[in-house]
Amino acid sequence: MMQAKEVARRFGAIEHAIGQAAQLCGKLLGMPMDLKDCIKQLDQQKSAVRQAIDTQDDARIRQAVDQMESLGDRAKRACGTASSVTPEMKSAVLKVHDELSDLKHQLH
Protein backbone atom coordinates (compact mmCIF):
# COMPACT_ATOMS: atom_id res chain seq x y z
CA MET A 1 0.00 0.00 0.00
CA MET A 2 1.18 3.50 -0.77
CA GLN A 3 2.00 5.85 2.06
CA ALA A 4 -0.99 7.92 3.18
CA LYS A 5 0.90 11.12 2.38
CA GLU A 6 1.51 9.98 -1.20
CA VAL A 7 -2.12 8.90 -1.60
CA ALA A 8 -3.24 12.32 -0.32
CA ARG A 9 -0.89 14.10 -2.75
CA ARG A 10 -2.06 12.02 -5.71
CA PHE A 11 -5.70 12.49 -4.76
CA GLY A 12 -5.17 16.26 -4.58
CA ALA A 13 -4.32 16.20 -8.29
CA ILE A 14 -7.44 14.12 -8.96
CA GLU A 15 -9.59 16.60 -6.99
CA HIS A 16 -8.18 19.41 -9.11
CA ALA A 17 -8.91 17.52 -12.34
CA ILE A 18 -12.48 16.78 -11.21
CA GLY A 19 -12.93 20.46 -10.33
CA GLN A 20 -11.83 21.45 -13.84
CA ALA A 21 -14.22 18.95 -15.43
CA ALA A 22 -17.09 20.14 -13.21
CA GLN A 23 -16.36 23.76 -14.08
CA LEU A 24 -16.38 22.97 -17.81
CA CYS A 25 -19.55 20.94 -17.40
CA GLY A 26 -21.28 23.96 -15.89
CA LYS A 27 -20.18 26.26 -18.70
CA LEU A 28 -20.84 24.12 -21.74
CA LEU A 29 -24.28 23.77 -23.26
CA GLY A 30 -25.63 20.56 -24.71
CA MET A 31 -23.65 18.22 -22.46
CA PRO A 32 -25.05 14.67 -22.35
CA MET A 33 -26.97 14.08 -19.13
CA ASP A 34 -25.04 10.89 -18.39
CA LEU A 35 -21.76 12.78 -18.53
CA LYS A 36 -23.11 15.61 -16.36
CA ASP A 37 -24.35 13.04 -13.86
CA CYS A 38 -20.97 11.28 -13.74
CA ILE A 39 -19.08 14.52 -13.18
CA LYS A 40 -21.54 15.57 -10.48
CA GLN A 41 -21.17 12.22 -8.70
CA LEU A 42 -17.37 12.36 -8.95
CA ASP A 43 -17.44 15.85 -7.46
CA GLN A 44 -19.68 14.66 -4.61
CA GLN A 45 -17.57 11.58 -3.86
CA LYS A 46 -14.35 13.53 -3.48
CA SER A 47 -15.14 14.13 0.17
CA ALA A 48 -15.66 10.39 0.85
CA VAL A 49 -12.20 9.60 -0.48
CA ARG A 50 -10.67 12.52 1.41
CA GLN A 51 -12.29 11.27 4.65
CA ALA A 52 -10.98 7.75 3.99
CA ILE A 53 -7.49 9.15 3.43
CA ASP A 54 -7.73 11.12 6.66
CA THR A 55 -8.62 7.95 8.61
CA GLN A 56 -5.71 6.11 6.97
CA ASP A 57 -7.96 3.06 6.59
CA ASP A 58 -6.44 1.24 3.61
CA ALA A 59 -9.52 -0.87 2.85
CA ARG A 60 -11.80 2.18 2.98
CA ILE A 61 -9.45 4.17 0.74
CA ARG A 62 -9.34 1.36 -1.83
CA GLN A 63 -13.13 1.00 -1.79
CA ALA A 64 -13.72 4.75 -2.22
CA VAL A 65 -11.15 5.03 -5.03
CA ASP A 66 -12.62 1.94 -6.74
CA GLN A 67 -16.08 3.53 -6.71
CA MET A 68 -14.73 6.76 -8.16
CA GLU A 69 -12.76 4.88 -10.79
CA SER A 70 -15.97 3.17 -11.93
CA LEU A 71 -17.56 6.60 -12.32
CA GLY A 72 -14.49 7.72 -14.25
CA ASP A 73 -14.97 4.75 -16.61
CA ARG A 74 -18.62 5.71 -17.08
CA ALA A 75 -17.68 9.33 -17.79
CA LYS A 76 -15.09 8.23 -20.34
CA ARG A 77 -17.65 6.03 -22.11
CA ALA A 78 -20.16 8.90 -22.10
CA CYS A 79 -17.55 11.14 -23.72
CA GLY A 80 -16.79 8.56 -26.36
CA THR A 81 -20.40 8.13 -27.43
CA ALA A 82 -21.42 11.80 -27.39
CA SER A 83 -20.90 14.01 -30.40
CA SER A 84 -21.51 17.28 -28.55
CA VAL A 85 -18.54 17.05 -26.18
CA THR A 86 -15.76 19.57 -26.78
CA PRO A 87 -12.12 18.47 -27.05
CA GLU A 88 -11.42 20.43 -23.85
CA MET A 89 -14.10 18.48 -21.96
CA LYS A 90 -12.89 15.16 -23.37
CA SER A 91 -9.39 16.00 -22.24
CA ALA A 92 -10.59 16.88 -18.72
CA VAL A 93 -12.59 13.66 -18.42
CA LEU A 94 -9.70 11.55 -19.72
CA LYS A 95 -7.36 13.17 -17.20
CA VAL A 96 -9.75 12.33 -14.35
CA HIS A 97 -10.18 8.79 -15.63
CA ASP A 98 -6.47 8.15 -16.14
CA GLU A 99 -5.49 9.57 -12.75
CA LEU A 100 -8.15 7.53 -10.93
CA SER A 101 -7.25 4.38 -12.84
CA ASP A 102 -3.56 4.83 -12.07
CA LEU A 103 -4.23 5.46 -8.37
CA LYS A 104 -6.50 2.42 -8.19
CA HIS A 105 -3.79 0.20 -9.65
CA GLN A 106 -1.22 1.64 -7.25
CA LEU A 107 -3.49 0.83 -4.30
CA HIS A 108 -4.12 -2.81 -5.29
Side-chain angles (χ1 to χ4, degrees), residues 34-60:
D34 189 38
L35 181 56
K36 280 184 176 183
D37 185 49
C38 288
I39 300 297
K40 182 179 175 184
Q41 287 181 41
L42 282 165
D43 200 37
Q44 290 171 344
Q45 285 194 2
K46 288 186 308 190
S47 61
V49 175
R50 183 54 66 189
Q51 288 173 350
I53 291 169
D54 291 344
T55 65
Q56 297 185 8
D57 180 341
D58 293 348
R60 192 170 156 201

mmCIF file of all heavy atoms in Angstrom, residues 34-60:
data_model
loop_
_atom_site.group_PDB
_atom_site.id
_atom_site.type_symbol
_atom_site.label_atom_id
_atom_site.label_comp_id
_atom_site.label_asym_id
_atom_site.label_seq_id
_atom_site.Cartn_x
_atom_site.Cartn_y
_atom_site.Cartn_z
ATOM 1 N N ASP A 34 -25.825 11.924 -19.052
ATOM 2 C CA ASP A 34 -25.042 10.887 -18.391
ATOM 3 C C ASP A 34 -23.674 11.421 -17.976
ATOM 4 O O ASP A 34 -23.198 11.139 -16.881
ATOM 5 C CB ASP A 34 -24.893 9.668 -19.300
ATOM 6 C CG ASP A 34 -24.282 8.473 -18.572
ATOM 7 O OD1 ASP A 34 -24.609 8.272 -17.382
ATOM 8 O OD2 ASP A 34 -23.485 7.752 -19.190
ATOM 9 N N LEU A 35 -23.068 12.202 -18.846
ATOM 10 C CA LEU A 35 -21.763 12.780 -18.535
ATOM 11 C C LEU A 35 -21.879 13.788 -17.390
ATOM 12 O O LEU A 35 -21.079 13.769 -16.454
ATOM 13 C CB LEU A 35 -21.152 13.434 -19.771
ATOM 14 C CG LEU A 35 -19.768 14.053 -19.589
ATOM 15 C CD1 LEU A 35 -18.769 13.034 -19.058
ATOM 16 C CD2 LEU A 35 -19.286 14.638 -20.905
ATOM 17 N N LYS A 36 -22.887 14.650 -17.456
ATOM 18 C CA LYS A 36 -23.106 15.611 -16.363
ATOM 19 C C LYS A 36 -23.297 14.895 -15.038
ATOM 20 O O LYS A 36 -22.744 15.297 -14.015
ATOM 21 C CB LYS A 36 -24.349 16.468 -16.641
ATOM 22 C CG LYS A 36 -24.137 17.592 -17.595
ATOM 23 C CD LYS A 36 -25.410 18.414 -17.693
ATOM 24 C CE LYS A 36 -25.221 19.620 -18.558
ATOM 25 N NZ LYS A 36 -26.405 20.458 -18.618
ATOM 26 N N ASP A 37 -24.075 13.811 -15.065
ATOM 27 C CA ASP A 37 -24.351 13.039 -13.857
ATOM 28 C C ASP A 37 -23.066 12.424 -13.307
ATOM 29 O O ASP A 37 -22.818 12.460 -12.094
ATOM 30 C CB ASP A 37 -25.385 11.957 -14.167
ATOM 31 C CG ASP A 37 -25.814 11.202 -12.926
ATOM 32 O OD1 ASP A 37 -26.145 11.853 -11.920
ATOM 33 O OD2 ASP A 37 -25.836 9.955 -12.970
ATOM 34 N N CYS A 38 -22.239 11.875 -14.173
ATOM 35 C CA CYS A 38 -20.966 11.276 -13.738
ATOM 36 C C CYS A 38 -20.063 12.314 -13.080
ATOM 37 O O CYS A 38 -19.487 12.065 -12.016
ATOM 38 C CB CYS A 38 -20.223 10.664 -14.923
ATOM 39 S SG CYS A 38 -20.951 9.168 -15.570
ATOM 40 N N ILE A 39 -19.937 13.460 -13.712
ATOM 41 C CA ILE A 39 -19.076 14.524 -13.183
ATOM 42 C C ILE A 39 -19.612 14.993 -11.835
ATOM 43 O O ILE A 39 -18.856 15.182 -10.877
ATOM 44 C CB ILE A 39 -18.966 15.704 -14.166
ATOM 45 C CG1 ILE A 39 -18.365 15.252 -15.506
ATOM 46 C CG2 ILE A 39 -18.168 16.849 -13.565
ATOM 47 C CD1 ILE A 39 -16.956 14.733 -15.435
ATOM 48 N N LYS A 40 -20.925 15.150 -11.741
ATOM 49 C CA LYS A 40 -21.544 15.571 -10.484
ATOM 50 C C LYS A 40 -21.268 14.545 -9.372
ATOM 51 O O LYS A 40 -20.899 14.914 -8.257
ATOM 52 C CB LYS A 40 -23.058 15.745 -10.681
ATOM 53 C CG LYS A 40 -23.786 16.230 -9.462
ATOM 54 C CD LYS A 40 -25.274 16.389 -9.754
ATOM 55 C CE LYS A 40 -26.035 16.762 -8.502
ATOM 56 N NZ LYS A 40 -27.483 16.818 -8.748
ATOM 57 N N GLN A 41 -21.419 13.264 -9.693
ATOM 58 C CA GLN A 41 -21.173 12.221 -8.698
ATOM 59 C C GLN A 41 -19.700 12.167 -8.294
ATOM 60 O O GLN A 41 -19.379 11.976 -7.121
ATOM 61 C CB GLN A 41 -21.629 10.866 -9.225
ATOM 62 C CG GLN A 41 -23.133 10.714 -9.269
ATOM 63 C CD GLN A 41 -23.539 9.349 -9.778
ATOM 64 O OE1 GLN A 41 -22.950 8.340 -9.433
ATOM 65 N NE2 GLN A 41 -24.560 9.328 -10.629
ATOM 66 N N LEU A 42 -18.807 12.330 -9.267
ATOM 67 C CA LEU A 42 -17.372 12.364 -8.945
ATOM 68 C C LEU A 42 -17.080 13.518 -8.001
ATOM 69 O O LEU A 42 -16.339 13.363 -7.020
ATOM 70 C CB LEU A 42 -16.542 12.506 -10.227
ATOM 71 C CG LEU A 42 -16.345 11.249 -11.057
ATOM 72 C CD1 LEU A 42 -15.836 11.606 -12.450
ATOM 73 C CD2 LEU A 42 -15.390 10.298 -10.366
ATOM 74 N N ASP A 43 -17.657 14.663 -8.299
ATOM 75 C CA ASP A 43 -17.444 15.848 -7.463
ATOM 76 C C ASP A 43 -17.962 15.599 -6.040
ATOM 77 O O ASP A 43 -17.318 15.992 -5.072
ATOM 78 C CB ASP A 43 -18.142 17.054 -8.109
ATOM 79 C CG ASP A 43 -17.602 18.378 -7.610
ATOM 80 O OD1 ASP A 43 -16.375 18.479 -7.385
ATOM 81 O OD2 ASP A 43 -18.408 19.310 -7.453
ATOM 82 N N GLN A 44 -19.101 14.931 -5.929
ATOM 83 C CA GLN A 44 -19.679 14.660 -4.614
ATOM 84 C C GLN A 44 -18.878 13.616 -3.843
ATOM 85 O O GLN A 44 -18.783 13.688 -2.617
ATOM 86 C CB GLN A 44 -21.133 14.189 -4.760
ATOM 87 C CG GLN A 44 -22.068 15.278 -5.219
ATOM 88 C CD GLN A 44 -23.453 14.748 -5.574
ATOM 89 O OE1 GLN A 44 -23.661 13.559 -5.768
ATOM 90 N NE2 GLN A 44 -24.408 15.666 -5.676
ATOM 91 N N GLN A 45 -18.291 12.657 -4.538
ATOM 92 C CA GLN A 45 -17.574 11.578 -3.858
ATOM 93 C C GLN A 45 -16.154 11.945 -3.438
ATOM 94 O O GLN A 45 -15.511 11.184 -2.719
ATOM 95 C CB GLN A 45 -17.557 10.317 -4.719
ATOM 96 C CG GLN A 45 -18.883 9.618 -4.729
ATOM 97 C CD GLN A 45 -18.784 8.212 -5.281
ATOM 98 O OE1 GLN A 45 -17.719 7.722 -5.636
ATOM 99 N NE2 GLN A 45 -19.912 7.543 -5.353
ATOM 100 N N LYS A 46 -15.699 13.104 -3.882
ATOM 101 C CA LYS A 46 -14.347 13.528 -3.482
ATOM 102 C C LYS A 46 -14.208 13.539 -1.966
ATOM 103 O O LYS A 46 -13.187 13.117 -1.430
ATOM 104 C CB LYS A 46 -14.027 14.931 -4.011
ATOM 105 C CG LYS A 46 -13.801 15.030 -5.478
ATOM 106 C CD LYS A 46 -13.338 16.406 -5.909
ATOM 107 C CE LYS A 46 -14.218 17.512 -5.416
ATOM 108 N NZ LYS A 46 -13.926 18.822 -6.017
ATOM 109 N N SER A 47 -15.228 14.012 -1.288
ATOM 110 C CA SER A 47 -15.140 14.127 0.169
ATOM 111 C C SER A 47 -15.062 12.754 0.844
ATOM 112 O O SER A 47 -14.395 12.602 1.860
ATOM 113 C CB SER A 47 -16.304 14.939 0.732
ATOM 114 O OG SER A 47 -17.530 14.314 0.444
ATOM 115 N N ALA A 48 -15.723 11.739 0.273
ATOM 116 C CA ALA A 48 -15.663 10.394 0.848
ATOM 117 C C ALA A 48 -14.241 9.836 0.775
ATOM 118 O O ALA A 48 -13.755 9.223 1.733
ATOM 119 C CB ALA A 48 -16.636 9.464 0.130
ATOM 120 N N VAL A 49 -13.584 10.070 -0.342
ATOM 121 C CA VAL A 49 -12.199 9.599 -0.478
ATOM 122 C C VAL A 49 -11.290 10.389 0.466
ATOM 123 O O VAL A 49 -10.430 9.819 1.138
ATOM 124 C CB VAL A 49 -11.702 9.707 -1.935
ATOM 125 C CG1 VAL A 49 -10.231 9.334 -2.039
ATOM 126 C CG2 VAL A 49 -12.536 8.827 -2.844
ATOM 127 N N ARG A 50 -11.499 11.686 0.537
ATOM 128 C CA ARG A 50 -10.673 12.521 1.413
ATOM 129 C C ARG A 50 -10.834 12.065 2.868
ATOM 130 O O ARG A 50 -9.857 11.964 3.608
ATOM 131 C CB ARG A 50 -11.066 13.997 1.242
ATOM 132 C CG ARG A 50 -10.245 14.979 2.022
ATOM 133 C CD ARG A 50 -8.770 14.900 1.806
ATOM 134 N NE ARG A 50 -8.346 15.251 0.460
ATOM 135 C CZ ARG A 50 -7.115 15.084 0.020
ATOM 136 N NH1 ARG A 50 -6.176 14.597 0.807
ATOM 137 N NH2 ARG A 50 -6.796 15.411 -1.204
ATOM 138 N N GLN A 51 -12.060 11.762 3.285
ATOM 139 C CA GLN A 51 -12.293 11.268 4.647
ATOM 140 C C GLN A 51 -11.588 9.930 4.868
ATOM 141 O O GLN A 51 -11.002 9.701 5.928
ATOM 142 C CB GLN A 51 -13.790 11.122 4.933
ATOM 143 C CG GLN A 51 -14.499 12.443 5.095
ATOM 144 C CD GLN A 51 -16.020 12.274 5.211
ATOM 145 O OE1 GLN A 51 -16.562 11.202 4.986
ATOM 146 N NE2 GLN A 51 -16.693 13.360 5.549
ATOM 147 N N ALA A 52 -11.652 9.054 3.880
ATOM 148 C CA ALA A 52 -10.980 7.753 3.988
ATOM 149 C C ALA A 52 -9.471 7.943 4.113
ATOM 150 O O ALA A 52 -8.818 7.271 4.918
ATOM 151 C CB ALA A 52 -11.318 6.882 2.779
ATOM 152 N N ILE A 53 -8.928 8.869 3.347
ATOM 153 C CA ILE A 53 -7.487 9.153 3.426
ATOM 154 C C ILE A 53 -7.138 9.679 4.810
ATOM 155 O O ILE A 53 -6.133 9.275 5.408
ATOM 156 C CB ILE A 53 -7.061 10.154 2.326
ATOM 157 C CG1 ILE A 53 -7.146 9.483 0.951
ATOM 158 C CG2 ILE A 53 -5.657 10.689 2.576
ATOM 159 C CD1 ILE A 53 -7.001 10.430 -0.225
ATOM 160 N N ASP A 54 -7.979 10.555 5.336
ATOM 161 C CA ASP A 54 -7.730 11.125 6.664
ATOM 162 C C ASP A 54 -7.739 10.061 7.766
ATOM 163 O O ASP A 54 -7.019 10.185 8.747
ATOM 164 C CB ASP A 54 -8.737 12.228 6.984
ATOM 165 C CG ASP A 54 -8.528 13.473 6.124
ATOM 166 O OD1 ASP A 54 -7.451 13.610 5.507
ATOM 167 O OD2 ASP A 54 -9.455 14.305 6.072
ATOM 168 N N THR A 55 -8.567 9.018 7.597
ATOM 169 C CA THR A 55 -8.616 7.954 8.606
ATOM 170 C C THR A 55 -7.468 6.965 8.443
ATOM 171 O O THR A 55 -7.224 6.165 9.330
ATOM 172 C CB THR A 55 -9.941 7.161 8.532
ATOM 173 O OG1 THR A 55 -9.993 6.478 7.283
ATOM 174 C CG2 THR A 55 -11.148 8.053 8.732
ATOM 175 N N GLN A 56 -6.807 7.012 7.309
ATOM 176 C CA GLN A 56 -5.711 6.113 6.965
ATOM 177 C C GLN A 56 -6.141 4.648 7.010
ATOM 178 O O GLN A 56 -5.364 3.755 7.333
ATOM 179 C CB GLN A 56 -4.492 6.362 7.864
ATOM 180 C CG GLN A 56 -3.937 7.749 7.687
ATOM 181 C CD GLN A 56 -2.663 7.996 8.461
ATOM 182 O OE1 GLN A 56 -2.083 7.075 9.040
ATOM 183 N NE2 GLN A 56 -2.209 9.222 8.477
ATOM 184 N N ASP A 57 -7.401 4.405 6.671
ATOM 185 C CA ASP A 57 -7.960 3.057 6.593
ATOM 186 C C ASP A 57 -7.777 2.563 5.157
ATOM 187 O O ASP A 57 -8.513 2.967 4.255
ATOM 188 C CB ASP A 57 -9.441 3.110 6.987
ATOM 189 C CG ASP A 57 -10.122 1.757 6.940
ATOM 190 O OD1 ASP A 57 -9.604 0.827 6.281
ATOM 191 O OD2 ASP A 57 -11.197 1.628 7.560
ATOM 192 N N ASP A 58 -6.794 1.689 4.958
ATOM 193 C CA ASP A 58 -6.435 1.238 3.609
ATOM 194 C C ASP A 58 -7.613 0.630 2.854
ATOM 195 O O ASP A 58 -7.812 0.919 1.673
ATOM 196 C CB ASP A 58 -5.291 0.230 3.664
ATOM 197 C CG ASP A 58 -3.984 0.843 4.136
ATOM 198 O OD1 ASP A 58 -3.900 2.085 4.207
ATOM 199 O OD2 ASP A 58 -3.049 0.075 4.419
ATOM 200 N N ALA A 59 -8.390 -0.214 3.515
ATOM 201 C CA ALA A 59 -9.523 -0.866 2.850
ATOM 202 C C ALA A 59 -10.566 0.174 2.430
ATOM 203 O O ALA A 59 -11.129 0.091 1.328
ATOM 204 C CB ALA A 59 -10.155 -1.906 3.768
ATOM 205 N N ARG A 60 -10.817 1.130 3.288
ATOM 206 C CA ARG A 60 -11.800 2.181 2.985
ATOM 207 C C ARG A 60 -11.315 3.070 1.835
ATOM 208 O O ARG A 60 -12.095 3.454 0.968
ATOM 209 C CB ARG A 60 -12.031 3.007 4.247
ATOM 210 C CG ARG A 60 -13.201 3.928 4.162
ATOM 211 C CD ARG A 60 -13.496 4.524 5.512
ATOM 212 N NE ARG A 60 -14.198 5.777 5.345
ATOM 213 C CZ ARG A 60 -14.267 6.730 6.237
ATOM 214 N NH1 ARG A 60 -13.690 6.580 7.410
ATOM 215 N NH2 ARG A 60 -14.919 7.839 5.994
#
